Amino acid sequence: MGEIPRRSSFPPAWAARGIKRRLGAPYFPTLQYTATYDAELAVGVLKEKKKPTIGLVERTFIPITFYEHLVKNLPEATFVDATEWVDEIKVIKSPEEIKLIKGTAALQDSTFEYLKKAIKPGMKDYEVYAEAHCFASRHGSERGLVQVNSGPLGTMVPFDVYHFQNRVIKEGDQVTVLIEVNGPGGYYTELMRIFVLGKKPTQELEDAFGIAVEAQKLTADRLKPEPTRKKYGT
């Protein structure tokens, strides 16, 4: 989404490195007459190619108006689903990327350490949400998801969305917090913890948590990367 003509100052060049051609148009999903503005820009570029093969990545995220306009105006083009191909390229991370990902996980760990002291009886779930977002934002996170829920110890307390985070936390409750925010490098990780206020967790809860941790370890061992394949050029 942008202007016509597109401003060269936004986003700044360092935030768009590697992009050879940047186009913009003032389109909004709620303004029907702008529904194909972005598709018209894409068609203008793709028509320069003779009988192009066009890869669609994550088709579930592509608006139907965009796709229909491309198909209608590029009759000689061949459309293929390139999602898996791109995913295989993306999954191979450089040492720098791995460091940034671990940095995001460390940020979330720090947020949970902060919440250990911040969560108190009398707070509402949405106040825990606010504390988590505030701490993460102050330490480099730009956006993301925090879900919170609370309930009596020993009951089912799945994390919930902000709209339903109005319960008052009581002494002895368990509080479930999911943090899925990005870190200073833009990468996301996801952690979930359960807090118990003023009591020990039930043995059933500890056992279930232990099983979950063990399952994660087994999954991580099975997903250890194989040697990088030559076809990716590394």
Side-chain angles (χ1 to χ4, degrees):
M1 189 277 173
E3 298 176 345
I4 300 176
R6 195 194 66 78
R7 291 183 298 164
S8 60
S9 59
F10 183 83
W14 61 264
R17 60 188 183 277
I19 301 175
K20 295 180 180 179
R21 188 172 179 180
R22 291 190 283 167
L23 304 171
Y27 53 88
F28 293 86
T30 52
L31 300 179
Q32 290 296 318
Y33 63 87
T34 71
T36 61
Y37 280 10
D38 52 347
E40 290 167 16
L41 292 173
V43 167
V45 173
L46 294 169
K47 274 190 171 180
E48 299 172 1
K49 315 291 182 180
K50 291 184 178 180
K51 296 183 178 180
T53 296
I54 300 170
L56 302 172
V57 179
E58 295 290 1
R59 295 192 302 167
T60 50
F61 292 100
I62 299 175
I64 190 171
T65 50
F66 183 92
Y67 176 74
E68 287 179 342
H69 190 82
L70 258 62
V71 173
K72 179 180 177 180
N73 291 278
L74 297 168
E76 295 185 350
T78 300
F79 293 89
V80 298
D81 189 340
T83 304
E84 291 294 328
W85 177 70
V86 173
D87 279 350
E88 286 188 19
I89 297 172
K90 288 167 59 182
V91 77
I92 300 173
K93 304 301 183 187
S94 68
E96 179 185 9
E97 289 175 305
I98 292 171
K99 183 178 179 180
L100 291 170
I101 293 168
K102 289 182 176 180
T104 300
L107 165 67
Q108 294 180 5
D109 277 332
S110 298
T111 305
F112 277 115
E113 288 299 314
Y114 171 76
L115 291 179
K116 281 184 182 180
K117 300 176 182 178
I119 299 175
K120 294 180 174 61
M123 295 178 69
K124 291 189 176 182
D125 292 346
Y126 70 78
E127 293 177 301
V128 177
Y129 163 97
E131 291 285 347
H133 262 303
C134 182
F135 183 92
S137 297
R138 285 177 173 171
H139 292 81
S141 176
E142 296 176 339
R143 63 187 304 172
L145 176 71
V146 175
Q147 294 184 316
V148 182
N149 199 1
S150 63
L153 183 60
T155 61
M156 184 69 174
V157 186
F159 51 79
D160 216 333
V161 296
Y162 184 80
H163 184 70
F164 299 106
Q165 294 175 6
N166 197 42
R167 184 181 181 276
V168 177
I169 299 170
K170 301 174 183 178
E171 182 75 17
D173 279 351
Q174 63 188 62
V175 182
T176 303
V177 182
L178 173 91
I179 298 178
E180 186 181 349
V181 301
N182 65 6
Y187 284 98
Y188 284 79
T189 59
E190 177 185 285
L191 298 180
M192 191 196 81
R193 302 278 168 81
I194 301 173
F195 299 91
V196 178
L197 277 64
K199 292 184 179 181
K200 288 189 62 177
T202 63
Q203 189 61 50
E204 183 181 18
L205 182 59
E206 289 190 348
D207 291 344
F209 190 81
I211 291 172
V213 172
E214 184 63 25
Q216 285 187 328
K217 289 180 179 179
L218 290 172
T219 302
D221 288 341
R222 291 179 180 178
L223 293 178
K224 284 182 178 178
E226 298 177 359
T228 304
R229 286 171 281 184
K230 291 183 178 180
K231 71 174 184 177
Y232 296 119
T234 57

